[in-house]
Amino acid sequence: PGVSPKLSSRLLSFRIALLPLALFNLRNSLLIIFFFVLFLLPQGIFVLGLPFALVQSGYMGLMVLVLSAWVCNHTGRRLVACLYEEERSSVSKVRVRHSYQDIMDACCKGLWPNWSVVGGWMINIAQVIELLMTCTLYLLVSTTLLCDSLSAVAPPRSACSLMSLMFLLPCLLLTDLRPVSVLSLLCSLAHILISLLVILYCLSRASNWSWSFLSLSVDPEDFIVSVGVIIFSYTSQIFLPPLEGSMEDRGQFDTMLGWTHGVACIMKTTFSLLAVLTWGPETSEVITDNLPPNLRPVVNLCLLAKALLSYPLPFYAAAEILQTCLLRGERVSCPTLMVRGALLLSSYLLSLLVPRFSLLMGLTGSVTGAAMTLILPCLFHLKLRWGRLAVQDRLIDVSILSLGVVCSVAGVVCSVKRIV
């Protein structure tokens, strides 16, 4: 019922499909750092929702942005450490596991008969949920941008959502990501330019900045939902095992991960802070909506193309998992079209049920983000390496694990409450 390690690595690395296929043959760690920073940690288009989260969370949100970078760097190292076991005859370590699912299987063995099978299903379900939520977010962003681009006609939101869905119907027949990956890479580069444009516009308005826009007192529910958004923006642990396995010098992994999270923290904090100082309480859920009318149409059209071309990547990965589990990897046929159609329709219905981008992003971060990024890596590390951990390491892991549980439960409750 589980996905094989080889297939799992390919599925978990769906965002790396943003890169041209030739990039996979490059094993230079500096290139890996560069592209990992650009394409994995900034979470692409979703970084545009961070300024709104910062407005809702105030100065505490700034602290969470920085703290989340350190915590996610720590749990990433802990997760990769679980891939290795020490040889009895020497002090060297051997890589005996290759994926997130392999680690789950190792932790579940011996707990109860068939628990390793249950663990595999749990990881698959968590992956599908995260990928489905990501698809829904792309569809939601596409609908919002399409509504804004057609504001002169003023079509109903449901019509814009249906139009976005029509553009995505070819995903049902998708068998190769390479053509989409090249186009999506170009759109990602355009997205980086758009982010730079937002930063330059904010700098041009520096004379109007006000630190009073950041508050010390915030609404508790707004803050908790914002924490989920911030956690989601750092979600990358699920990609780390295959990424570490692709490095020529795996001894540089910790250094690479530290620099990556440090640079990502600076980028996200700077981007969010400049936007909040510029627009304050008027900051939109998608920050490009705050740009002046002469810039917004072009920017929104570029982001619309980026969102629509990014949708096939998580969709394809989720479809592959479902086809492997339910249909034994069967290629395009009537059953696979039914599975893919159900997946596409589910993301469409979710985008209609949860029309607010920030709430859905916060809910995703609280459900799968907290579990896969904070809770499970620490739980795995404690289970597999308990006897070799110092007291300080155990306390840190337990503290992050407890914090992850609290953030997850509180985030789900507050997000669902706001949605209902």
Side-chain angles (χ1 to χ4, degrees), residues 363-411:
L363 180 62
T364 306
S366 300
V367 177
T368 58
M372 306 294 278
T373 303
L374 305 181
I375 300 172
L376 290 180
C378 292
L379 193 60
F380 294 157
H381 195 245
L382 291 170
K383 174 68 170 62
L384 295 176
R385 308 182 70 86
W386 177 267
R388 287 163 283 182
L389 294 179
V391 175
Q392 180 182 355
D393 293 330
R394 293 178 185 175
L395 289 175
I396 292 174
D397 284 353
V398 171
S399 298
I400 295 175
L401 173 61
S402 304
L403 182 64
V405 172
V406 171
C407 289
S408 181
V409 174

Side-chain angles (χ1 to χ4, degrees), residues 292-335:
N294 58 330
L295 288 177
R296 195 186 309 163
V298 176
V299 169
N300 282 350
L301 284 175
C302 290
L303 288 177
L304 176 61
K306 160 67 178 168
L308 291 174
L309 288 172
S310 296
Y311 183 97
L313 304 177
F315 178 85
Y316 182 81
E320 286 283 283
I321 295 175
L322 292 174
Q323 289 169 208
T324 302
C325 295
L326 303 177
L327 306 174
R328 301 185 182 277
E330 189 175 326
R331 288 291 129 190
V332 177
S333 62
C334 186

